[in-house]
Amino acid sequence: MIDSDVFDFAERCRKHTATGPLLSDLLDTVRNLGFEHLILSGVPLGGQKLAPMVELNGWPEGWFERYVEAEHAAVDGVCIYSAKTLKPFLWAEVPAKWSDTEASRRVAGEATEFGIWSGFAVPMLSVHHWQSVLSFASSQRACSLSPREQVQLVTMAVYAGMSIQALSDVEDEGDNVLTDREKEVLLWAAAGKTSSETSQILGLAERTVKWHATRAREAFGVGTTTQAVVEAVRRRLIHP
């Protein structure tokens, strides 16, 4: 791949108005480096589910469904390491303490059934999640990338991530999923206050505070108030 291919992709990123064309464009471009598949997602932490965090899904048909259903993200060495570093890495470079477990080896073995043998991951900071990663996958037994090619992939990953952010900003305009009171309750929960303490601060009955917390959980489709806080912060609805 020549540098102008990367610059051309970066220029096109500004023109994409939907994730589908962006995904197709990125896949077409990185095929020049031997990558047939990719996924851009938040990195699940603390029991979070992967599926709602995926922003670009270019994995082989069937593999994403199996990965999610089996909750492979919790044991996959590549996924685990993506939450612990901001340094781009070849999948083969994941430290053995995460890649050489029985569960992680099983995930890698299952991936080969779908033509995925090796890859390159680009962890990134994200306003959507605590951290994101764009992971490029290849049918080659081992990736062989020069330092310049790695920089090319990182550059394209960053531009793809910025494009997703721009599209999300448009989608989130006018997001009134929470009432002002629900935001207040989550804000005090983020500060570590119990329902009882929040009720005293806001001058409400404790059952009312709990009701607002329940409504916030239902609005986000999550099971705990802590998860609701994380989602509210992710959407920039509250600022602890």
Side-chain angles (χ1 to χ4, degrees):
M1 178 183 288
I2 58 177
D3 289 346
S4 62
D5 292 332
V6 178
F7 296 139
D8 288 345
F9 171 76
E11 181 66 23
R12 292 194 300 272
C13 276
R14 298 191 302 170
K15 302 176 182 178
H16 288 307
T17 58
T19 58
L22 173 61
L23 173 61
S24 296
D25 191 354
L26 183 54
L27 278 170
D28 287 343
T29 306
V30 300
R31 282 193 181 96
N32 294 324
L33 291 173
F35 295 100
E36 301 96 345
H37 309 288
L38 65 85
I39 188 167
L40 171 60
S41 172
V43 181
L45 297 172
Q48 289 178 303
K49 301 297 184 181
L50 174 68
M53 306 176 77
V54 175
E55 295 171 314
L56 289 177
N57 183 6
W59 272 358
E61 184 176 354
W63 176 231
F64 178 75
E65 289 77 7
R66 181 188 296 190
Y67 193 96
V68 168
E69 183 178 356
E71 298 186 347
H72 281 336
V75 297
D76 179 10
V78 173
C79 187
I80 294 171
Y81 191 50
S82 295
K84 300 180 181 297
T85 183
L86 281 173
K87 180 182 177 181
F89 61 90
L90 294 166
W91 292 0
E93 295 173 338
V94 175
K97 64 184 294 185
W98 296 300
S99 65
D100 201 30
T101 66
E102 180 179 352
S104 185
R105 291 197 304 270
R106 183 177 64 252
V107 174
E110 290 183 18
T112 64
E113 299 175 24
F114 296 85
I116 293 178
W117 288 84
S118 61
F120 182 73
V122 185
M124 297 178 285
L125 295 177
S126 170
V127 298
H128 288 156
H129 316 287
W130 296 117
Q131 190 148 306
S132 294
V133 62
L134 203 166
S135 199
F136 300 96
S138 173
S139 60
Q140 299 175 14
R141 293 299 180 100
C143 289
S144 178
L145 296 171
S146 69
R148 191 174 195 86
E149 289 171 335
Q150 293 190 22
V151 170
Q152 290 173 335
L153 284 170
V154 171
T155 302
M156 288 187 287
V158 169
Y159 271 91
M162 289 191 298
S163 295
I164 289 292
Q165 171 60 42
L167 293 172
S168 298
D169 286 345
V170 172
E171 293 171 357
D172 289 344
E173 286 180 357
D175 190 348
N176 295 316
V177 66
L178 297 180
T179 66
D180 289 341
R181 185 64 82 184
E182 288 161 1
K183 292 176 186 177
E184 279 187 303
V185 168
L186 292 185
L187 191 58
W188 286 113
K193 301 300 182 182
T194 64
S195 296
S196 176
E197 291 169 332
T198 299
S199 70
Q200 296 176 31
I201 293 169
L202 298 180
L204 301 171
E206 184 175 356
R207 65 177 179 276
T208 302
V209 170
K210 291 181 177 179
W211 181 79
H212 285 301
T214 298
R215 289 294 300 272
R217 293 195 299 270
E218 291 173 347
F220 292 136
V222 297
T224 69
T225 299
T226 298
Q227 290 173 325
V229 168
V230 170
E231 184 64 17
V233 171
R234 182 185 76 80
R235 298 195 190 189
R236 291 174 287 176
L237 298 176
I238 63 173
H239 304 276

